[in-house]
Amino acid sequence: MEGALTARDRVGIQDFVLLDETTETAFLSNLNKRFSKDLIYTYIGTLLVSVNPYKELDIYNRKQMDIYMGVNFFELPPHIYALADNAYHTMLTEFNNHFILISGESGAGKTEASKKILQYYAISCPSTTLLNTVRDKMLKSNPVLEAFGNAKTLKNDNSSRFGKYMDIQFDSQGDAVGGHILNYLLEKSRVVHQNHGERNFHIFYQLVEGGEDDLLHQLGLERDSLHYNYLTQGECAIVFSINDKNDWKTVKNALQVIDHLFGIVASVLHLGNVQFDSDSKGQALLNNNAETKYLNPTKIRCKRVKIPFTIDHAIYARDALAKAIYGLTFTWLVNRINGSMENKDSSRKTVIGLLDIYGFEVFYVNSFEQFCINYCNEKLQQLFIQLTLKAEQEEYEAENIEWEPVQFFNNKIICDLVEEKHRGIISILDEECLRPGDATDLTFLERLEEKMGNHPHFVTHKLADKMTRKTLERGDFRLLHYAGEVTYCVVGFLDKNNDLLYRNIKDVINSSLTVSSLSHMDLTDELLGIMTLMLCPCFGNMMESFEFHPFLGHIITGQFDEALIRHQVKYLGLMEHLRVRRAGFAYRRKYEVFLKRYKPLCPATWPHWRGMPADGVEELVQHLGYLPNEYKMGRTKIFIRHPRTLYATEDAYEKCKHELGESTRLQAKYKGYKAKGEFRKQKEAATKIETCWRGVQARKERERRAWAVKVIKRFIKGYMTRGQAKTTDNSEYLAFVRQNYLNRLKEKLPKTVLDKTSWQAPPAVLAETSEILRKLHYRLMVRKYVRGIAPQKKAQLQLKLVTSSIFKGKKDTYPHSVAQPFVDTRISISVSNLTDGMIVFHITCEDPKEKGDLVMQCDHLFEFLTKLSVIANKQSAIKVVQGSIKIEIQAGKESAVDFSTGQEPMVYKAKNGHLMVVS
């Protein structure tokens, strides 16, 4: 915050709350000024606004993470790491749940923002195996969820077509212990229809373009996206900016369950290519096209029931089935991911949730999907305005500051228009879906006109005035949202709200699940249900589960196209939020923080204030001349109403800092002069001490040299008399000789029993001692060697001993074999269960040149093998085999001996290369 004040003319204001004017023009100007310097983050209080730069910025590295760890929220420039860190530490302090809402239009970077937050927690939280597991699975699930839940739209090549809520569960120590993902509002209609310039979900194109040839052949697919009706509705199946083949590799590597899952994806494509003809009565007939054989009709175990459908009904049933299968498959994927991250501990946990949701959508044609998405955003707008007001009011109450009512647009009237029981649009839509008779989208529109004809936020072609009527089709209705007007086309509203499967289709699926690929995915119960777009319960349950706090992040996209930015500022409700934050006081800080920064401005508080911080702040602001209506003193904070008051204080601080700098330089010069005089005194004292010390050292050196001369003299005399009997002159020398020999011997003792030559030659005085030591050392080495022999090695040596008694001096090749270890042949024996006399000896061999297994015939098979097993004491080595015995001809080359019965015994080489034995 303070950094923004000192550099406000260069990089704008880091918190919009401190703008002099709370106008849209001032808002956009500040945003543009910061964006031009690659400062993409700006605060509105605790709300973070981000402008997508569409280029890489070096602000997400480990160094940046370390800077923001455990720092006060406003102490450093705005950053998504500050938001994440504040949520984490507040959660630990208060031990309650928090969530971060990330909203914005398609392509704004919402999913990337959630990844950055997860990566920050992975580094900043205490590192545990559980944290790494949760973190890795959340991050690695992204390619799979994006493949099955993202698609190319007109605005974004990788647009999320589903809402995603992720939470990380923490224990009281702040360790991550689990995670969960909630998906909702999957745009299933995209499976069967796409607008011009858009594509189906990525996974279809990835499978067709990147799948291996064997897999495509198995699934009955062609490597051509244009071949499939469900992939060509938007007329852009091939997009050069998307590499489906590479994306396929990423998705396949991330998935453990492959075959069954892709079989379902393929079945959806085949369903889309199923065509219908009409008979003479106008009833639909199934074509005998090639696609039907891949839908496994032979596996369906149920009675054939003929229900007359028109072609339109048949197409509707086909598409409804495709959407249901795909929707349930997506739900199953999310459940599998959740199962791998499930927290098994039932003790209380706190969570930080990340809500990555569609932004407000306004297209050329807006249908049921946009209606649900925009209603969701309407509710979110209502929620965070209420939470902001609540937080402001609670802070004022806690600080004993009088609360002043805030005037803002309350969008409750729009929410009620959509959700009110028995009168809202959703209730009327549900009633029309259940009403007997020929209910259509147009009859639904008529009911809307009857129920809410006078509503100020609702208009249709029939209800509009002459000028407005020109902008509305007869099948349209228009809602005036908080973000602006949106026109919705009612065509498809009833079908999409119902999203029904005909009962006979569900029965067929039920009977086929026991043998179809879906049964392998535990989808039986789910597929029998009816998937409906029920936004309210899903979102409502989530709201009840958490105590929300306004750590909100809004994403704005674009290369600062002012018209586009202005539109997004409006539909994200940023100006409303700013006005709520600015309704009371623009700036509030704890007394300690305010006093620490600005205490140089008042003689009474500089350089130290000894009293209470609140009294010091009061003394300071009185000295600065604050008027009574410019500030309020709370229990723990000072509240400043206008930014200009704070700016004046900050300018005074900058001037004071400069003056303090001048006095500091004078002090430095004086201190330098004093230090030089002190240095000269210390240098003179050091010189005197050094002279005395050198004298002491010289006397010690003279004594040391005299002692050395005496030692050398005695050594020379001892050397000259070393061959004589021990005397006073040579006793020290002989002791030296003994010690020196023993030291050399210790460093170079023989390491192996077979080393007979490296023993150190002794001096004459130690000849007898050396021989005794040599024998002791070799006995010790032999003892260690014997004790260290492994049982397997001992058995080898025992065998070598037997071999020696049999062959030594009798066979020429015996000496060469002594050093070679015995080869462990691990012979096993196989015989067939028939009446033949064939025996196969399986012999392990490693050299390809060696012969492999031995096959022989013996008339006395039972006697031979019985005696052999008794001698070897290995009855388990003999196996009786039925049908065929595998043999190894050479190392790595296998064959087999096949056994059968016939009219006469025979042994011959069969056509398959095996040895055939007929008994």
Side-chain angles (χ1 to χ4, degrees):
M1 177 69 74
E2 284 71 22
L5 294 174
T6 59
R8 60 183 182 273
D9 295 330
R10 181 170 61 88
V11 294
I13 305 300
Q14 291 186 350
D15 192 335
F16 284 112
V17 173
L18 293 178
L19 284 175
D20 281 327
E21 299 178 3
T22 57
T23 63
E24 191 176 81
T25 302
F27 190 98
L28 293 173
S29 174
N30 185 62
L31 204 62
N32 190 12
K33 185 181 294 186
R34 293 179 59 75
F35 181 77
S36 65
K37 299 295 184 180
D38 285 340
L39 300 173
I40 65 171
Y41 293 117
T42 312
Y43 289 137
I44 305 179
T46 54
L47 181 145
L48 181 67
V49 180
S50 170
V51 185
N52 193 337
Y54 286 99
K55 64 180 180 181
E56 293 292 332
L57 297 178
D58 188 25
I59 59 174
Y60 303 108
N61 49 44
R62 176 61 186 267
K63 181 180 179 181
Q64 288 287 322
M65 293 183 184
D66 292 337
I67 290 174
Y68 281 90
M69 287 182 191
V71 178
N72 183 276
F73 186 64
F74 292 111
E75 187 173 332
L76 293 173
H79 200 291
I80 197 168
Y81 291 160
L83 189 76
D85 189 78
N86 194 25
Y88 177 72
H89 285 285
T90 308
M91 176 201 69
L92 287 182
T93 303
E94 301 176 359
F95 201 62
N96 57 13
N97 303 314
H98 289 256
F99 91 113
I100 299 174
L101 167 64
I102 307 172
S103 67
E105 74 163 17
S106 179
K110 299 184 295 297
T111 302
E112 285 301 314
S114 65
K115 291 179 184 177
K116 294 290 185 276
I117 293 172
L118 286 176
Q119 290 165 355
Y120 179 79
Y121 287 145
I123 298 298
S124 63
C125 298
S127 181
T128 62
T129 303
L130 260 178
L131 168 64
N132 295 335
T133 301
V134 173
R135 183 267 322 269
D136 291 342
K137 291 189 175 178
M138 277 197 166
L139 291 177
K140 290 178 181 178
S141 68
N142 273 319
V144 178
L145 292 178
E146 288 181 3
F148 282 82
N150 290 20
K152 180 196 180 305
T153 64
L154 293 175
K155 294 186 177 182
N156 182 7
D157 283 353
N158 189 33
S159 175
S160 297
R161 307 316 299 163
F162 69 103
K164 179 171 61 175
Y165 172 79
M166 299 181 292
D167 67 49
I168 309 175
Q169 301 164 7
F170 298 89
D171 61 16
S172 59
Q173 305 302 314
D175 295 340
V177 294
H180 186 266
I181 298 175
L182 172 67
N183 67 290
Y184 51 93
L185 277 181
L186 177 68
E187 193 181 49
K188 293 187 296 180
S189 60
R190 184 171 292 271
V191 174
V192 300
H193 175 74
Q194 308 93 45
N195 293 327
H196 182 76
E198 298 192 351
R199 297 208 313 174
N200 207 325
F201 292 102
H202 291 324
I203 188 62
F204 293 112
Y205 305 94
Q206 292 170 0
L207 175 59
V208 171
E209 299 296 335
E212 295 75 11
D213 292 339
D214 291 344
L215 178 60
L216 295 183
H217 178 74
Q218 177 186 347
L219 300 177
L221 298 178
E222 297 183 13
R223 196 178 298 283
D224 182 5
S225 299
L226 300 177
H227 178 73
Y228 299 98
N229 293 334
Y230 281 167
L231 305 186
T232 56
Q233 308 269 324
E235 299 181 3
C236 63
I238 305 301
V239 180
F240 293 109
S241 60
I242 300 176
N243 192 327
D244 293 310
K245 290 184 179 179
N246 285 350
D247 294 342
W248 162 260
K249 295 176 183 177
T250 303
V251 172
K252 187 174 180 183
N253 290 337
L255 281 174
Q256 296 178 347
V257 180
I258 298 294
D259 297 335
H260 302 307
L261 188 59
F262 295 138
I264 294 175
V265 175
S267 71
V268 173
L269 292 179
H270 288 305
L271 268 175
N273 280 7
V274 171
Q275 301 295 325
F276 304 97
D277 287 334
S278 177
D279 63 10
S280 58
K281 296 181 180 180
Q283 297 176 359
L285 296 175
L286 184 64
N287 274 340
N288 291 324
N289 53 52
E291 303 293 343
T292 56
K293 69 180 180 180
Y294 295 109
L295 299 176
N296 296 329
T298 57
K299 292 184 179 180
I300 300 176
R301 300 200 299 257
C302 65
K303 296 180 180 179
R304 293 175 59 89
V305 179
K306 186 174 182 181
I307 300 177
F309 273 2
T310 64
I311 290 182
D312 289 342
H313 281 137
I315 292 174
Y316 173 85
R318 177 199 67 187
D319 292 347
L321 177 60
K323 290 188 292 183
I325 291 174
Y326 192 82
L328 293 170
T329 301
F330 187 79
T331 301
W332 174 85
L333 262 179
V334 175
N335 290 339
R336 284 293 295 267
I337 295 171
N338 286 335
S340 66
M341 300 186 296
E342 183 181 0
N343 173 29
K344 308 295 185 183
D345 188 356
S346 59
S347 59
R348 188 189 170 195
K349 302 293 182 294
T350 54
V351 304
I352 293 180
L354 303 177
L355 180 58
D356 177 1
I357 190 172
Y358 300 98
F360 199 86
E361 290 190 349
V362 184
F363 297 145
Y364 182 74
V365 176
N366 301 287
S367 186
F368 183 73
E369 293 81 8
Q370 283 69 49
F371 172 76
C372 293
I373 290 167
N374 292 344
Y375 165 58
C376 181
N377 277 272
E378 196 79 54
K379 290 293 289 184
L380 287 174
Q381 171 71 5
Q382 183 186 42
L383 170 70
F384 78 72
I385 288 293
Q386 289 174 348
L387 288 176
T388 303
L389 285 171
K390 180 184 177 184
E392 287 285 294
Q393 185 172 0
E394 286 177 349
E395 183 174 23
Y396 290 156
E397 289 176 353
E399 295 290 333
N400 279 340
I401 302 295
E402 185 179 352
W403 169 254
E404 299 179 5
V406 179
Q407 298 299 322
F408 67 98
F409 171 64
N410 188 343
N411 66 337
K412 181 177 184 299
I413 186 174
I414 305 173
C415 294
D416 290 344
L417 171 66
V418 177
E419 68 185 10
E420 190 176 6
K421 289 185 178 181
H422 308 302
R423 293 182 54 84
I425 295 174
I426 293 178
S427 291
I428 296 172
L429 178 60
D430 288 341
E431 290 173 5
E432 197 66 11
C433 289
L434 297 174
R435 183 173 64 85
D438 295 329
T440 65
D441 296 319
L442 292 179
T443 62
F444 160 62
L445 183 60
E446 291 172 359
R447 291 291 305 280
L448 289 179
E449 291 170 338
E450 292 174 7
K451 290 280 188 178
M452 51 196 65
N454 298 323
H455 199 287
H457 290 267
F458 176 85
V459 66
T460 67
H461 184 277
K462 177 180 177 181
L463 300 174
D465 57 39
K466 187 175 181 180
M467 290 298 296
T468 307
R469 192 172 295 168
K470 295 178 180 179
T471 64
L472 285 168
E473 299 292 336
R474 295 187 181 277
D476 293 347
F477 69 90
R478 181 174 295 163
L479 296 183
L480 180 57
H481 291 278
Y482 77 91
E485 295 180 345
V486 182
T487 302
Y488 299 99
C489 175
V490 296
V491 175
F493 261 58
L494 262 66
D495 285 346
K496 291 175 181 177
N497 187 54
N498 275 325
D499 202 15
L500 291 174
L501 285 176
Y502 288 117
R503 178 158 187 168
N504 64 305
I505 295 178
K506 289 191 288 184
D507 291 340
V508 168
I509 294 173
N510 184 26
S511 62
S512 65
L513 280 174
T514 55
V515 292
S516 69
S517 59
L518 289 177
S519 64
H520 295 281
M521 300 174 63
D522 301 325
L523 289 175
T524 306
D525 295 333
E526 297 177 72
L527 195 57
L528 295 179
I530 301 174
M531 291 291 288
T532 56
L533 291 166
M534 293 299 289
L535 168 65
C536 303
C538 175
F539 191 72
N541 290 341
M542 185 182 68
M543 302 268 277
E544 293 170 3
S545 301
F546 301 98
E547 178 183 347
F548 285 108
H549 296 265
F551 298 106
L552 308 178
H554 288 279
I555 308 298
I556 301 178
T557 181
Q559 297 294 326
F560 217 88
D561 179 335
E562 184 169 332
L564 177 63
I565 298 294
R566 187 184 301 273
H567 172 68
Q568 293 176 69
V569 167
K570 180 179 181 181
Y571 83 60
L572 287 171
L574 299 185
M575 296 307 299
E576 292 289 327
H577 192 85
L578 175 57
R579 292 187 185 105
V580 169
R581 297 288 302 191
R582 276 292 302 273
F585 296 86
Y587 177 90
R588 71 281 315 262
R589 279 295 179 275
K590 287 188 177 296
Y591 292 133
E592 295 86 350
V593 176
F594 188 85
L595 184 62
K596 180 180 179 181
R597 181 170 181 82
Y598 297 115
K599 65 182 180 180
L601 299 180
C602 176
T605 58
W606 176 258
H608 301 292
W609 173 258
R610 302 299 181 185
M612 298 296 292
D615 298 334
V617 171
E618 184 67 47
E619 185 78 25
L620 175 60
V621 298
Q622 290 296 329
H623 178 79
L624 293 173
Y626 280 19
L627 298 177
N629 65 338
E630 289 183 332
Y631 77 102
K632 292 290 183 182
M633 300 290 287
R635 287 181 178 176
T636 64
K637 298 178 182 178
I638 178 174
F639 291 77
I640 298 177
R641 188 177 298 278
H642 305 297
R644 62 177 178 269
T645 305
L646 185 64
Y647 293 152
T649 306
E650 186 65 23
D651 292 339
Y653 172 70
E654 289 296 315
K655 182 180 178 181
C656 178
K657 220 171 35 167
H658 178 72
E659 293 171 353
L660 287 174
E662 290 294 331
S663 63
T664 302
R665 281 193 291 273
L666 290 175
Q667 289 178 354
K669 288 183 179 179
Y670 177 73
K671 289 179 180 178
Y673 171 77
K674 293 276 290 183
K676 287 179 182 177
E678 185 68 23
F679 174 75
R680 281 195 297 268
K681 292 180 181 178
Q682 292 178 357
K683 186 176 181 181
E684 292 173 0
T687 302
K688 293 179 180 179
I689 294 172
E690 185 179 1
T691 302
C692 294
W693 177 250
R694 285 178 178 173
V696 172
Q697 291 296 99
R699 287 190 290 273
K700 287 184 177 180
E701 180 66 16
R702 185 183 62 185
E703 293 173 358
R704 192 178 68 83
R705 288 174 180 269
W707 172 82
V709 168
K710 293 179 182 178
V711 172
I712 294 171
K713 185 177 179 181
R714 285 201 307 270
F715 186 84
I716 293 173
K717 187 177 289 188
Y719 175 77
M720 295 173 64
T721 60
R722 65 187 182 280
Q724 302 174 9
K726 183 177 179 181
T727 65
T728 304
D729 292 333
N730 66 5
S731 61
E732 289 186 8
Y733 178 79
L734 292 178
F736 167 76
V737 169
R738 293 189 188 96
Q739 183 66 37
N740 185 52
Y741 172 72
L742 292 175
N743 286 337
R744 287 187 290 111
L745 183 63
K746 180 180 69 173
E747 297 297 329
K748 296 185 179 180
L749 285 171
K751 304 298 183 184
T752 65
V753 177
L754 300 179
D755 184 358
K756 304 292 185 182
T757 60
S758 63
W759 188 266
Q760 293 283 324
V765 70
L766 285 176
E768 184 178 357
T769 303
S770 174
E771 182 61 22
I772 295 172
L773 290 176
R774 188 185 67 79
K775 291 180 179 179
L776 286 173
H777 180 67
Y778 276 97
R779 288 185 65 185
L780 178 62
M781 284 196 299
V782 170
R783 186 177 184 184
K784 286 184 178 179
Y785 177 76
V786 171
R787 288 186 174 183
I789 296 176
Q792 184 178 2
K793 180 68 174 177
K794 185 176 181 180
Q796 285 264 328
L797 294 176
Q798 290 173 341
L799 291 175
K800 285 286 185 180
L801 183 61
V802 174
T803 305
S804 174
S805 64
I806 298 174
F807 296 105
K808 185 176 181 180
K810 301 175 184 178
K811 188 168 178 62
D812 293 341
T813 56
Y814 170 74
H816 175 70
S817 71
V818 172
Q820 304 299 323
F822 272 14
V823 176
D824 184 8
T825 57
R826 297 192 293 276
I827 298 176
S828 62
I829 302 170
S830 296
V831 298
S832 77
N833 63 328
L834 302 179
T835 59
D836 57 88
M838 302 299 291
I839 303 174
V840 177
F841 292 86
H842 301 284
I843 304 171
T844 303
C845 58
E846 298 177 356
D847 190 345
K849 296 180 180 180
E850 295 178 359
K851 294 298 183 181
D853 297 345
L854 172 64
V855 182
M856 63 177 288
Q857 185 174 15
C858 178
D859 293 336
H860 302 284
L861 181 145
F862 298 108
E863 295 83 348
F864 171 66
L865 291 182
T866 300
K867 291 183 178 180
L868 189 62
S869 66
V870 170
I871 294 171
N873 194 24
K874 284 190 177 180
Q875 288 84 353
S876 61
I878 301 173
K879 308 293 182 183
V880 180
V881 180
Q882 295 184 359
S884 180
I885 300 175
K886 289 186 178 181
I887 62 173
E888 193 174 55
I889 302 174
Q890 291 177 330
K893 186 176 180 181
E894 291 187 347
S895 184
V897 179
D898 298 333
F899 296 89
S900 66
T901 57
Q903 296 180 353
E904 57 182 29
M906 299 174 63
V907 179
Y908 62 91
K909 185 177 182 181
K911 292 182 179 180
N912 58 4
H914 295 179
L915 183 66
M916 175 59 74
V917 178
V918 181
S919 60

